[in-house]
């Protein structure tokens, strides 16, 4: 997995085209540059591991400690609650400035709601409210959660789980990439 690179093409009214690119200055990027190696594990690439941790400790630390989940948000860019957010499937995302491509900061969605992974493709409604689907893991099993992001500047403070239902296989939730929304239903 490479580090998240934003690319922007601008076409002016007189036909001039400009190109701009910039790496998202995520924690994964910053630590990786500092250490000259991958520090946080990615979807398809393991980080150089801490040899003092057993496999079980590595797995549980990822689930119980979202700081060990990557914030290398390289999958999608969405306008959520008046912000441009870059997303991956971890509970960590980044806010960017669409004009300069500067990284304006990161958000850890798992600190507000009990969700350990999200799809990278939320749905944004006409009124600006956004919904996303995420997984949570509890002592009673895995759950799917619909999370609502209100359309205002209080993106992280006001996000909330609006629906929660158990995975069909109690301790084996599916890896979910997308979901659908109709006028009255969420389609999982």
């Amino acid at each position: 997995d490479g580090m998240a690179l934003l690319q922007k093409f601008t076409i002016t009214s007189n036909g001039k085209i400009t190109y701009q690119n910039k790496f998202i200055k995520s924690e994964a990027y910053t630590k990786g540059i500092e250490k000259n190696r991958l520090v946080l594990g990615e979807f398809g690439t393991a980080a150089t591991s801490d040899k003092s941790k057993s496999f079980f400790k590595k797995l549980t630390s990822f689930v119980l400690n979202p700081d060990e989940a990557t914030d290398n948000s390289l999958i999608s860019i969405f306008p959520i609650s008046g912000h441009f957010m870059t997303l991956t499937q971890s509970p960590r995302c980044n806010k960017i400035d669409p004009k300069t491509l500067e990284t304006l900061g990161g958000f850890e969605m798992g600190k507000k709601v009990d969700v350990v992974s999200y799809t990278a493709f939320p749905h944004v409604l006409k009124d600006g409210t956004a919904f996303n689907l995420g997984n949570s893991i509890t002592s009673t099993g895995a759950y799917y959660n619909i999370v609502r992001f209100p359309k205002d500047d209080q993106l992280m403070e006001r996000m909330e789980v609006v629906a929660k239902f158990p995975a069909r296989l109690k301790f084996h939730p599916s890896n979910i990439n997308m979901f659908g929304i109709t006028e009255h239903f969420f389609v999982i």
Side-chain angles (χ1 to χ4, degrees), residues 98-110:
K99 289 186 170 80
T100 65
L101 302 184
E102 289 294 329
T103 305
L104 302 176
F107 291 112
E108 297 192 24
M109 295 181 276

Side-chain angles (χ1 to χ4, degrees), residues 78-85 95 107 122-125 127-131 148-159:
F78 271 86
I80 300 175
S81 301
H83 305 285
F84 278 83
M85 307 299 293
K95 181 179 167 184
F107 291 112
H123 288 272
V124 181
L125 304 182
D127 71 358
T129 303
F131 290 92
R148 178 176 132 347
F149 299 87
K151 182 191 175 189
D152 61 29
D153 286 336
Q154 303 298 314
L155 172 69
M156 298 313 294
E157 293 79 13
R158 296 194 46 223
M159 64 186 283

